[in-house]
Short mmCIF file of all heavy atoms in Angstrom, two decimals:
data_model
loop_
_atom_site.label_atom_id
_atom_site.label_comp_id
_atom_site.label_asym_id
_atom_site.label_seq_id
_atom_site.Cartn_x
_atom_site.Cartn_y
_atom_site.Cartn_z
N PRO A 11 -34.33 -84.36 -50.50
CA PRO A 11 -33.11 -83.54 -50.29
C PRO A 11 -31.95 -83.98 -51.14
O PRO A 11 -31.15 -83.18 -51.63
CB PRO A 11 -32.81 -83.73 -48.80
CG PRO A 11 -34.12 -84.10 -48.21
CD PRO A 11 -34.84 -84.91 -49.24
N GLY A 12 -31.81 -85.27 -51.36
CA GLY A 12 -30.69 -85.77 -52.20
C GLY A 12 -30.84 -85.32 -53.64
O GLY A 12 -29.87 -84.93 -54.30
N LEU A 13 -32.06 -85.34 -54.16
CA LEU A 13 -32.27 -84.87 -55.54
C LEU A 13 -31.97 -83.38 -55.68
O LEU A 13 -31.40 -82.91 -56.67
CB LEU A 13 -33.72 -85.16 -55.96
CG LEU A 13 -34.07 -86.64 -56.15
CD1 LEU A 13 -35.57 -86.79 -56.43
CD2 LEU A 13 -33.26 -87.25 -57.27
N ALA A 14 -32.38 -82.64 -54.67
CA ALA A 14 -32.11 -81.19 -54.74
C ALA A 14 -30.63 -80.91 -54.75
O ALA A 14 -30.13 -80.03 -55.45
CB ALA A 14 -32.77 -80.51 -53.52
N MET A 15 -29.87 -81.66 -53.94
CA MET A 15 -28.42 -81.46 -53.91
C MET A 15 -27.78 -81.80 -55.24
O MET A 15 -26.90 -81.09 -55.74
CB MET A 15 -27.83 -82.30 -52.78
CG MET A 15 -26.32 -82.09 -52.58
SD MET A 15 -25.70 -83.02 -51.19
CE MET A 15 -26.58 -82.21 -49.83
N LEU A 16 -28.21 -82.88 -55.88
CA LEU A 16 -27.67 -83.28 -57.19
C LEU A 16 -27.98 -82.22 -58.23
O LEU A 16 -27.15 -81.89 -59.08
CB LEU A 16 -28.24 -84.63 -57.61
CG LEU A 16 -27.75 -85.84 -56.82
CD1 LEU A 16 -28.53 -87.09 -57.24
CD2 LEU A 16 -26.27 -86.04 -57.03
N THR A 17 -29.20 -81.66 -58.18
CA THR A 17 -29.57 -80.62 -59.16
C THR A 17 -28.68 -79.38 -59.00
O THR A 17 -28.22 -78.78 -59.97
CB THR A 17 -31.03 -80.22 -58.97
OG1 THR A 17 -31.83 -81.39 -59.10
CG2 THR A 17 -31.47 -79.18 -59.99
N ALA A 18 -28.41 -78.99 -57.76
CA ALA A 18 -27.56 -77.82 -57.51
C ALA A 18 -26.14 -78.05 -57.99
O ALA A 18 -25.50 -77.17 -58.59
CB ALA A 18 -27.57 -77.49 -56.02
N LEU A 19 -25.60 -79.24 -57.75
CA LEU A 19 -24.25 -79.55 -58.21
C LEU A 19 -24.15 -79.52 -59.71
O LEU A 19 -23.16 -79.04 -60.29
CB LEU A 19 -23.82 -80.93 -57.67
CG LEU A 19 -23.57 -81.00 -56.15
CD1 LEU A 19 -23.32 -82.45 -55.74
CD2 LEU A 19 -22.39 -80.13 -55.77
N ALA A 20 -25.16 -80.05 -60.40
CA ALA A 20 -25.15 -80.05 -61.88
C ALA A 20 -25.18 -78.63 -62.42
O ALA A 20 -24.49 -78.28 -63.37
CB ALA A 20 -26.34 -80.85 -62.39
N ALA A 21 -26.00 -77.76 -61.81
CA ALA A 21 -26.08 -76.37 -62.27
C ALA A 21 -24.75 -75.65 -62.07
O ALA A 21 -24.29 -74.89 -62.91
CB ALA A 21 -27.20 -75.65 -61.51
N GLY A 22 -24.10 -75.93 -60.94
CA GLY A 22 -22.80 -75.30 -60.69
C GLY A 22 -21.75 -75.74 -61.68
O GLY A 22 -20.94 -74.96 -62.15
N ALA A 23 -21.73 -77.02 -62.04
CA ALA A 23 -20.77 -77.52 -63.03
C ALA A 23 -20.97 -76.87 -64.38
O ALA A 23 -20.03 -76.52 -65.08
CB ALA A 23 -20.87 -79.04 -63.13
N ALA A 24 -22.25 -76.71 -64.76
CA ALA A 24 -22.54 -76.08 -66.05
C ALA A 24 -22.05 -74.64 -66.07
O ALA A 24 -21.51 -74.15 -67.05
CB ALA A 24 -24.05 -76.15 -66.32
N GLY A 25 -22.21 -73.92 -64.94
CA GLY A 25 -21.73 -72.54 -64.87
C GLY A 25 -20.23 -72.44 -64.99
O GLY A 25 -19.69 -71.59 -65.67
#
Side-chain angles (χ1 to χ4, degrees):
L13 290 175
M15 185 176 295
L16 290 173
T17 303
L19 290 173

